Amino acid sequence: MFPIEYRIENEDESVTLDFKKEVYGSEKKGEFLKDVAAFANALSNDLYRYIVIGVKDQNGIKEYFNVVRNDVGDVSNYQQLIDQNIEPNIPINIKYVKIEENELAVFVIGPCDNSPYVFKKDYLKNKQGIIYIRNGTSTRFAKRQELDLMYQRRQKVQRSDILVGFDELNESSIELRALDSKELKNSPSNKRKREIEHEINNRKSPSYTMSLKMLRDFDINTSLRIFDSEIPLTSADDSELQQMLLDVKDDYRNNDNYYYFEEVGNHFNLIILNQGSEPLNDCTIKLKVPIKGGVRIADDIYDNPADSSLLFRNSFESSQYPYVEKKDTTYIITENFKTIKHKLPTKVFQEDIRIVFPPSLEDTLLTIHYEIYADNYPDVISGDLTIKVVKNHNIVI
């Protein structure tokens, strides 16, 4: 699911999204209740539905209007109005977003996982027992077939039974650190690049002689590099040095991957708690992370190239790292489960996800989206989590 700001600018009205130019005044309380009930009853896999105030949408052309918060009022008044007139309970929240310098109000309705939602008493034009449903971009009375579908969904594991977070407390946000400039500078390829450049510059010096070149061949650091299969720089001719400089990123790709993903990058995982009365069977879990500002996610666990013991590792040993693919502007991380047991916390990924943030992403929020598919649950279980990218010294351990 994309952030609501993206949806406002790029999506049309639907069963989960509605645009209104003006706030609901006191004379429109009945219309507000009708809209909320209809959205909550909409047959959609999305748990949350949105009514955006401050948008005029005419034939796909949107115009935005600044909304005054005092005109919107307190969310508790809206929640009380809903609780007094509709059952079961429909949670609602209000958030504010800026689009083209205009502040818009967004009514966030949900999670909507207990339909049908019914008027429990007469209120203005809304009669007791009435069931509205959002269909396309319009609202009408629910049909028998639609009510059957609502009840069928309720007979399975309830969406509210499935909790997903970064730990066993189901925290929906986590702080992960960005790399600092020193860490970037000290990557294996950058260090090797500086060494090559230093050797090239040394050879331009009038004091450079063959005898000095021979002495440097026995430098302890250079000697040790022989065990790492690195060519001593003093043994390379000028053209070889230039080629080494061009190839350094490719030659040290595995070293860099190990350094970034295993030594200085972040590792994280997710926890699922199934509070329902039965397991989720034959599950596929997808985590979608936007490729934003240089975010990098490992596609495997990288071995240390300097570890000679890995040469003797059995070929049948394989990583349990999840499948990672790049699709357009998103990383999609996939894991499969035979069963997600109920009443027990379950780690989503067998191996922690490796993720790296460049310094430019410090103090930014990254919204990641998860989707869970199960044979014994008819809909996609989905939701959003947040990563706050911080400086290293801001991490609390």
Side-chain angles (χ1 to χ4, degrees):
M1 180 63 65
F2 293 104
I4 187 59
E5 293 89 342
Y6 177 90
R7 296 189 66 190
I8 291 170
E9 292 187 284
N10 295 281
E11 293 186 15
D12 298 325
E13 291 184 324
S14 65
V15 295
T16 60
L17 183 65
D18 191 28
F19 300 128
K20 294 190 178 295
K21 179 181 176 182
E22 299 174 342
V23 300
Y24 291 96
S26 57
E27 75 284 356
K28 293 186 177 180
K29 289 182 179 180
E31 179 184 339
F32 168 76
L33 289 173
K34 178 180 177 180
D35 289 343
V36 168
F39 269 103
N41 284 325
L43 298 174
S44 170
N45 292 332
D46 296 335
L47 280 179
Y48 294 89
R49 294 87 199 267
Y50 304 90
I51 300 175
V52 185
I53 310 298
V55 182
K56 181 181 178 182
D57 185 6
Q58 190 165 6
N59 299 324
I61 299 175
K62 297 187 180 79
E63 188 177 358
Y64 304 105
F65 300 88
N66 195 61
V67 175
V68 179
R69 295 194 181 199
N70 286 342
D71 292 344
V72 177
D74 193 274
V75 67
S76 61
N77 296 328
Y78 293 95
Q79 188 67 69
Q80 184 180 33
L81 182 65
I82 293 170
D83 294 345
Q84 289 174 346
N85 292 279
I86 299 173
E87 60 182 2
N89 171 258
I90 305 174
I92 193 166
N93 202 354
I94 301 174
K95 65 181 294 186
Y96 293 89
V97 299
K98 272 206 168 183
I99 305 289
E100 296 183 2
E101 302 304 316
N102 293 291
E103 187 172 63
L104 312 181
V106 182
F107 286 93
V108 184
I109 305 164
C112 305
D113 56 4
N114 200 19
S115 61
Y117 297 94
V118 185
F119 274 85
K120 59 185 177 181
K121 65 179 183 180
D122 292 350
Y123 185 85
L124 300 177
K125 295 181 180 180
N126 303 307
K127 302 302 179 182
Q128 180 180 4
I130 203 167
I131 301 174
Y132 293 110
I133 189 169
R134 176 83 169 186
N135 181 46
T137 60
S138 61
T139 294
R140 57 169 171 76
F141 299 135
K143 298 177 181 179
R144 167 62 189 270
Q145 183 181 13
E146 291 163 335
L147 292 175
D148 288 343
L149 289 172
M150 293 179 196
Y151 283 113
Q152 285 175 19
R153 294 176 179 218
R154 291 179 57 185
Q155 290 169 3
K156 304 293 184 180
V157 177
Q158 295 295 306
R159 171 60 184 91
S160 56
D161 292 333
I162 311 301
L163 304 178
V164 180
F166 289 103
D167 54 27
E168 293 191 9
L169 297 177
N170 292 111
E171 294 290 344
S172 62
S173 64
I174 191 174
E175 290 187 352
L176 299 178
R177 59 179 292 272
L179 297 176
D180 58 36
S181 56
K182 182 178 179 181
E183 288 168 330
L184 289 176
K185 184 178 179 181
N186 287 333
S187 72
S189 63
N190 284 333
K191 289 172 71 173
R192 186 61 167 172
K193 179 182 178 183
R194 289 196 299 274
E195 292 170 353
I196 298 170
E197 290 172 337
H198 181 70
E199 178 65 22
I200 291 173
N201 290 330
N202 271 348
R203 295 188 182 188
K204 297 176 182 178
S205 170
S207 61
Y208 181 86
T209 65
M210 184 57 66
S211 59
L212 286 175
K213 172 183 179 299
M214 293 174 63
L215 285 174
R216 280 200 298 273
D217 281 340
F218 294 97
D219 178 84
I220 183 64
N221 292 325
T222 303
S223 300
L224 287 175
R225 287 195 193 101
I226 295 173
F227 296 101
D228 292 340
S229 301
E230 286 186 344
I231 300 173
L233 297 180
T234 50
S235 68
D237 61 31
D238 291 352
S239 62
E240 287 174 329
L241 285 177
Q242 292 296 336
Q243 190 61 48
M244 290 167 69
L245 196 60
L246 292 174
D247 296 340
V248 67
K249 284 294 182 183
D250 287 336
D251 291 344
Y252 281 77
R253 189 177 306 279
N254 289 338
N255 305 66
D256 281 351
N257 283 334
Y258 178 79
Y259 171 76
Y260 284 125
F261 293 122
E262 300 302 326
E263 292 188 336
V264 298
N266 301 281
H267 297 182
F268 77 92
N269 214 312
L270 300 180
I271 300 291
I272 295 178
L273 179 58
N274 174 11
Q275 299 184 118
S277 58
E278 63 180 57
L280 291 173
N281 299 322
D282 293 322
C283 304
T284 297
I285 300 168
K286 293 183 180 291
L287 184 65
K288 298 182 178 181
V289 181
I291 302 174
K292 174 183 178 182
V295 173
R296 291 182 61 202
I297 294 179
D299 57 8
D300 202 348
I301 296 177
Y302 291 94
D303 295 325
N304 184 355
D307 187 351
S308 59
S309 67
L310 296 174
L311 295 174
F312 306 101
R313 189 171 64 176
N314 292 328
S315 60
F316 60 79
E317 292 182 18
S318 60
S319 166
Q320 299 299 309
Y321 198 71
Y323 177 67
V324 178
E325 64 175 325
K326 276 185 178 182
K327 190 172 182 180
D328 298 326
T329 58
T330 306
Y331 283 107
I332 303 176
I333 307 164
T334 304
E335 189 74 89
N336 296 310
F337 275 87
K338 187 66 178 175
T339 300
I340 297 178
K341 296 180 179 179
H342 58 299
K343 310 299 183 184
L344 291 174
T346 300
K347 185 185 288 188
V348 171
F349 303 108
Q350 295 185 59
E351 293 284 355
D352 289 350
I353 302 301
R354 274 68 168 162
I355 189 167
V356 173
F357 303 102
S360 59
L361 286 182
E362 287 178 0
D363 300 321
T364 62
L365 295 178
L366 193 69
T367 299
I368 62 177
H369 181 70
Y370 64 83
E371 296 174 354
I372 304 171
Y373 304 81
D375 272 4
N376 58 329
Y377 189 81
D379 301 323
V380 180
I381 300 168
S382 62
D384 293 330
L385 301 169
T386 302
I387 294 174
K388 183 178 181 182
V389 185
V390 298
K391 294 182 179 180
N392 187 27
H393 61 75
N394 287 338
I395 290 288
V396 179
I397 300 177

